[in-house]
Every structure is written in structure tokens, then in C-alpha cells.
């Protein structure tokens, strides 16, 4: 007789245990018991008064988005394939590639892509400024790039990053269940399903793409993102102090709070932001031109950039270490201040998804917020060997308030990056909500009506 199969233990929840050490809070529970306890804890945390979510690049991977390391490789591959690549720029890219390769080979830390980009951007500022106290920059590669070459490089970096981040949600009309839809839809629908009498959800993202905006509008979730107006919205932080209500019994003069609503913050800007007359504006571009971009090779991407240039304005803020200085100006100053303020409010639950703690200024805000005695933080990490886990373990001295959900070693070995990803957390770990299933049925019904209403072209051979 064959031995009975043992159910795979999928998750471990690392935090401070009863004996005072950092360990797995699900240890000793079978798969069913572990999932019940996990969802019970998440449900309890989601009922805390102040809900703050921080999302990073990992939340966009399933839609074609890239982590910072992969973004760097793709951007360089495309720029090197451009026919008008200046001769002074090629050695700069090669030196960067060699430095990263050597650091990886020796398993040593190296300058991050963000920090490297900041030096390039700052070099251009120095080269173009007439009142700078510096006469120039010394480059290890010769010949040194001219200001025109540097400007060409920075412009191509911006456009290429835009193209890589111009992502679109897949069609939902064919989805049969929650497991078939984009994780952004599942996540947001479950996020706003909590009791409307609690504080509003505050969703902060480090991503440039507009996947969350697309999902919010598709689900009919109202949101304030710091901009007012429609055609060319301008940044106005006062909108974050507003809320959405609707009339109840009009005769009695009562109003009710609109359930599906949240506040949305893009800490590093967005592909649909642009500056005009000294103000930050927002207008969503047509992303249809970029749907096939991510699947192309470097040479095809390079050819596409020439045609897509008119559709690819520069991103609101480059992913550089210099963004720390840029966050001292509007609108970034207000966005980061809002993030810090929200984390200091009593009874706060901070949910971190797709973020590897690679942005020092963001991580410092989080670590300072752990001084808040009533803050609970849950980090979703799909790699049980990630340094993020050791980082959370070091927070144990701050009490039972920092947790990381990750796969067990066995589960990760059986299926790499299947468990505790953003997709998995949104679709199967978070508690289900009925109105998401209703939404899927409505979308399928709409598609059936549209297809039945499509006129049939006559057969010319009949």
C-alpha cells in the first residue's frame, strides 16, 4: 500500500514568538490549520483603524513589470541597440555592466542602479549649469561625454524606463474565477471590503506604472490621488483631506459613507505625470502603443522607441538616489510627509508587498515608524532566503509587531516564487469577498451581450 501523501506546508509567518525569539508562528500546524490561523491574523490586522499599504516593483512583475535589476539590464540592452548611440556613452554603460558583473561574481555589494543613475543625472546638471561652482566632471572612460551626449543619454534613459513601465492589465471578461484575474483586481477589491466605519485605506506605491489606477477604475473604486481636475489634472494635496459620501434617505437629510474608496499615493511619481508651467500635472497616456513592447528583443525595442517617442513623455521622477533630494520639493515632499504621518497614527497596520527595502529613505521612514507602539507590520516575501527576512528578525527587540510571510523551504524548493508572491497573497491568502465574484459575472455578461450585438458580415461568395 502506498504511503499517504503529506500535504505541503506552504507558508511560514516569522515574528516574535511567545518565548521571545524570532520564529515561525505557524510551526507545528498542518496546512489547513496554518491557513486558518494565517487568515485569522490577517483579518484581525485588516480591522485595525488605520490601514497603510506600501507596494513596490514586485507587485507588477506578473503584468510584465521588472525588478530594479532586470529593469537596468533591459534599459541598457535597448539603449546599446540604438543606432545613434554616442561613442562617449558606450564606455559608460560598459563600465557599469562590468562593475555589476564583478560584484555579483565576488558576491560583494555594489552601487545600486538608483545610485548610479543619480550620478548620471547630476553630471548632466553640472554640465548644463552656468552658475555651478564646478568646471566639470572627470570620467574614467575617455573621451568624456559632452553635455549634448549626456542629455541624449538621460533623455533615452527616461523614455526607455517609461516604455518598460507602460503596462496594461489583461482583459477580465474571460476570467472564470478569482484565480484567473489580475492580482491588482483581487487585492483592491478585498482591500476596500473592510468595514467602512474604520479609517480609509491609504495605498502608497513606489511604482511608475498605472496598473493600480487601471484596476481601481475597472472595479468602480473611487480614489483620491492628490490631483484635481480631469483634462490636465494639477496636484493639490488638499484632496487627501476629503472623503466620499452619498445621500441616504434624502427626506431625513442623512448621508452615508461610500464603501469603495481609498487614498492613493505615488511616492516616486508616475508615467502619467508631467510638469507644465511649474506645476505637476497628470494625464493618462494611451498605453495601447506599448502592449507588445515588453515582449520584444533589444533591437526591436530600439526601433520602436523612435516611433513611440511622441507617446512616451518622461517619467515624473527618475529611479535615482537623487530622488531623495527631489522629495524635498512638491509634490514629493507632501507625499513622503503623508507616508510618515500615516505610520505614526495609533492602531496602524502596515502591509508591505513587492518591496525589498532597497530604498534607504523609504526604509528609514518605516524603521522610525516601528517606534509607534501600536503599529503592526506584515511584509510579504516570496523568497525564504531573502535578506529582507533577516532584516525583519532584527526588529524583534521592538516587540511582537513585525512579521514576514514567506514560503517554507520545502514549498519554495517544490515551486520557486509560487507562494507568498503578490499574486498568491491577493488571490488566495487574503480573505475572499462576494462582490468580486459578482463583478466577474457582470464582466462575462457584458462580453456576451457585446458579442451577440456584433453584426455578422455577409459572405461575399454567397
Amino acid at each position: 500500500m502506498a504511503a499517504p501523501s503529506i500535504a505541503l506546508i506552504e507558508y511560514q509567518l516569522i515574528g516574535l514568538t511567545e518565548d521571545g525569539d524570532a520564529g515561525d508562528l505557524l510551526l507545528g500546524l498542518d496546512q489547513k490549520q496554518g491557513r486558518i490561523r494565517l487568515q485569522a491574523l490577517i483579518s484581525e490586522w485588516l480591522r485595525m483603524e488605520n490601514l497603510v499599504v506600501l507596494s513596490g516593483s514586485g507587485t507588477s512583475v506578473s503584468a510584465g513589470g521588472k525588478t530594479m535589476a532586470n529593469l537596468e539590464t533591459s534599459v541598457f540592452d535597448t539603449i546599446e541597440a540604438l543606432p545613434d548611440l554616442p561613442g562617449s556613452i558606450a564606455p559608460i554603460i560598459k563600465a557599469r555592466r562590468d562593475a555589476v558583473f564583478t560584484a555579483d561574481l565576488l558576491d560583494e555589494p555594489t552601487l545600486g542602479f538608483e545610485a548610479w543613475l543619480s550620478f548620471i543625472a547630476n553630471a548632466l546638471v553640472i554640465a548644463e549649469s552656468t552658475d555651478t561652482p564646478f568646471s566639470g566632471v572627470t570620467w574614467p572612460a575617455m573621451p568624456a561625454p559632452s553635455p549634448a551626449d549626456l542629455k541624449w543619454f538621460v533623455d533615452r534613459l527616461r523614455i526607455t524606463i517609461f516604455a518598460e513601465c507602460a503596462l496594461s492589465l489583461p482583459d477580465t471578461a474571460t476570467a472564470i474565477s478569482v484565480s484567473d484575474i489580475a492580482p491588482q483586481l483581487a487585492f483592491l477589491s478585498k482591500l476596500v471590503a473592510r468595514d467602512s466605519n474604520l479609517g480609509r485605506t491609504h495605498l502608497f506605491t513606489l511604482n511608475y506604472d498605472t496598473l493600480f489606477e487601471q484596476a481601481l477604475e475597472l472595479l468602480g473604486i473611487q480614489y483620491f490621488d492628490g490631483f484635481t481636475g480631469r483634462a490636465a489634472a494639477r496636484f493639490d494635496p488638499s484632496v487627501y483631506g476629503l472623503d466620499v459620501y452619498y445621500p441616504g434617505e434624502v427626506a431625513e437629510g442623512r448621508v452615508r459613507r461610500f464603501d469603495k474608496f481609498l487614498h492613493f499615493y505615488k511616492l516616486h511619481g508616475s508615467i502619467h505625470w508631467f510638469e507644465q508651467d511649474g506645476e505637476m500635472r497628470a494625464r493618462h497616456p494611451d498605453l495601447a502603443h506599448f502592449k507588445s513592447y515588453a515582449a520584444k528583443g533589444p533591437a526591436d525595442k530600439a526601433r520602436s522607441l523612435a516611433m513611440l517617442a511622441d507617446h512616451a513623455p518622461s517619467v515624473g521622477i527618475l529611479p535615482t538616489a537623487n530622488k531623495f533630494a527631489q522629495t524635498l520639493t512638491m509634490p514629493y515632499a507632501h507625499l513622503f510627509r503623508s507616508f510618515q504621518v500615516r505610520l505614526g497614527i495609533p492602531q496602524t497596520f502596515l502591509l508591505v508587498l513587492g518591496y525589498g527595502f532597497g530604498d534607504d529613505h523609504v526604509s528609514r521612514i518605516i524603521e522610525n515608524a516601528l517606534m509607534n507602539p501600536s503599529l503592526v507590520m506584515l511584509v510579504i516575501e516570496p523568497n525564504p532566503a531573502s535578506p529582507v527576512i533577516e532584516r525583519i528578525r532584527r526588529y524583534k527587540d521592538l516587540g511582537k509587531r513585525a512579521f514576514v510571510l514567506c514560503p517554507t523551504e520545502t514549498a519554495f524548493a517544490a515551486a520557486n516564487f509560487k507562494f507568498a508572491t503578490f499574486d498568491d497573497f491577493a488571490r488566495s491568502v487574503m480573505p475572499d469577498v462576494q462582490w468580486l465574484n459578482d463583478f466577474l459575472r457582470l464582466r462575462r455578461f457584458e462580453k456576451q451581450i457585446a458579442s451577440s450585438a456584433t453584426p455578422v458580415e455577409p459572405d461575399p461568395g454567397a
Side-chain angles (χ1 to χ4, degrees):
M1 179 181 296
S5 60
I6 300 176
L8 181 67
I9 306 301
E10 301 164 344
Y11 306 102
Q12 52 181 327
L13 181 63
I14 298 174
L16 201 63
T17 60
E18 295 298 331
D19 58 10
D21 294 324
D24 181 11
L25 277 68
L26 306 180
L27 188 64
L29 302 177
D30 61 27
Q31 183 184 34
K32 181 178 180 181
Q33 293 171 332
R35 185 173 285 270
I36 290 174
R37 184 176 184 188
L38 176 60
Q39 291 189 328
L41 284 170
I42 293 173
S43 296
E44 178 184 346
W45 292 331
L46 287 173
R47 287 193 294 270
M48 294 179 70
E49 179 64 25
N50 182 42
L51 175 57
V52 179
V53 178
L54 175 66
S55 75
S57 60
T59 61
S60 300
V61 170
S62 64
K66 293 179 173 62
T67 62
M68 192 58 68
N70 292 334
L71 178 65
E72 175 179 357
T73 300
S74 296
V75 166
F76 285 159
D77 287 347
T78 302
I79 291 179
E80 287 181 323
L82 292 172
D84 57 341
L85 175 69
S88 62
I89 299 301
I92 297 176
I93 297 178
K94 182 180 184 304
R96 168 61 185 175
R97 287 188 183 273
D98 291 345
V100 172
F101 175 80
T102 301
D104 290 344
L105 188 65
L106 301 177
D107 195 23
E108 294 179 348
T110 187
L111 187 69
F113 186 43
E114 295 177 327
W116 184 87
L117 279 171
S118 73
F119 284 114
I120 300 299
N122 289 333
L124 176 61
V125 172
I126 292 173
E128 291 186 330
S129 298
T130 58
D131 55 352
T132 175
F134 308 106
S135 60
V137 176
T138 301
W139 296 82
M142 294 300 290
S146 66
D149 288 352
L150 270 179
K151 187 176 187 309
W152 180 96
F153 192 28
V154 171
D155 287 344
R156 297 312 182 277
L157 284 169
R158 290 182 180 274
I159 293 174
T160 308
I161 291 173
F162 178 99
E164 293 287 352
C165 296
L167 309 174
S168 298
L169 287 179
D171 183 19
T172 61
T174 58
I176 299 175
S177 65
V178 174
S179 61
D180 300 321
I181 65 173
Q184 288 81 5
L185 295 171
F187 178 70
L188 292 170
S189 61
K190 296 176 180 182
L191 200 64
V192 300
R194 72 193 204 118
D195 190 344
S196 62
N197 291 321
L198 297 171
R200 293 300 198 181
T201 297
H202 293 260
L203 172 57
F204 295 83
T205 183
L206 302 170
N207 298 346
Y208 301 113
D209 62 64
T210 59
L211 293 174
F212 277 125
E213 290 97 323
Q214 295 171 46
L216 287 166
E217 294 179 11
L218 193 59
L219 291 167
I221 298 174
Q222 301 297 315
Y223 65 98
F224 288 154
D225 62 355
F227 287 82
T228 58
R230 294 291 181 184
R234 63 166 47 86
F235 186 76
D236 180 2
S238 65
V239 300
Y240 286 125
L242 304 178
D243 209 322
V244 175
Y245 294 81
Y246 67 96
E249 299 295 335
V250 178
E252 300 178 16
R254 295 187 301 177
V255 294
R256 298 177 182 175
R257 207 176 190 196
F258 187 75
D259 291 341
K260 297 190 294 183
F261 173 80
L262 56 76
H263 290 289
F264 187 48
Y265 309 75
K266 304 199 80 167
L267 292 172
H268 287 170
S270 177
I271 61 172
H272 75 294
W273 291 13
F274 63 97
E275 289 190 27
Q276 179 178 307
D277 300 328
E279 291 184 308
M280 188 63 74
R281 302 292 187 100
R283 183 189 298 116
H284 287 276
D286 183 4
L287 301 180
H289 307 280
F290 301 90
K291 284 193 174 181
S292 62
Y293 182 88
K296 295 179 179 178
D300 288 335
K301 285 183 177 180
R303 283 189 288 270
S304 296
L305 283 183
M307 297 181 290
L308 295 173
D310 293 338
H311 304 285
S314 63
V315 294
I317 180 171
L318 269 178
T320 70
N322 189 49
K323 67 190 171 203
F324 181 73
Q326 289 174 289
T327 56
L328 300 179
T329 62
M330 290 293 284
Y332 308 106
H334 184 87
L335 297 174
F336 275 87
R337 184 168 60 251
S338 297
F339 184 51
Q340 187 170 13
V341 169
R342 295 311 308 180
L343 293 182
I345 294 175
Q347 293 299 310
T348 293
F349 174 43
L350 171 61
L351 177 60
V352 181
L353 301 134
Y355 174 62
F357 288 79
D359 291 305
D360 288 340
H361 59 296
V362 175
S363 300
R364 281 196 298 269
I365 293 175
I366 293 174
E367 292 177 350
N368 290 336
L370 289 171
M371 298 297 106
N372 178 350
S374 59
L375 180 140
V376 173
M377 178 176 71
L378 174 63
V379 179
I380 311 303
E381 172 54 57
N383 183 2
S386 169
V388 171
I389 297 175
E390 182 57 34
R391 188 184 195 114
I392 303 303
R393 288 180 186 272
R394 294 199 299 267
Y395 297 152
K396 68 179 184 179
D397 294 336
L398 300 174
K400 301 180 182 180
R401 296 180 290 107
F403 304 87
V404 56
L405 177 67
C406 64
T408 62
E409 298 283 352
T410 304
F412 187 77
N416 289 356
F417 298 101
K418 176 182 179 181
F419 302 105
T421 61
F422 171 63
D423 303 40
D424 176 57
F425 182 79
R427 291 173 175 147
S428 63
V429 177
M430 291 183 75
D432 290 329
V433 291
Q434 179 58 41
W435 77 271
L436 180 57
N437 294 321
D438 296 338
F439 165 79
L440 293 176
R441 283 195 293 270
L442 177 61
R443 295 291 295 175
R444 290 196 299 271
F445 182 62
E446 288 174 344
K447 184 174 183 179
Q448 290 174 358
I449 294 178
S451 60
S452 63
T454 302
V456 178
E457 293 292 336
D459 185 356

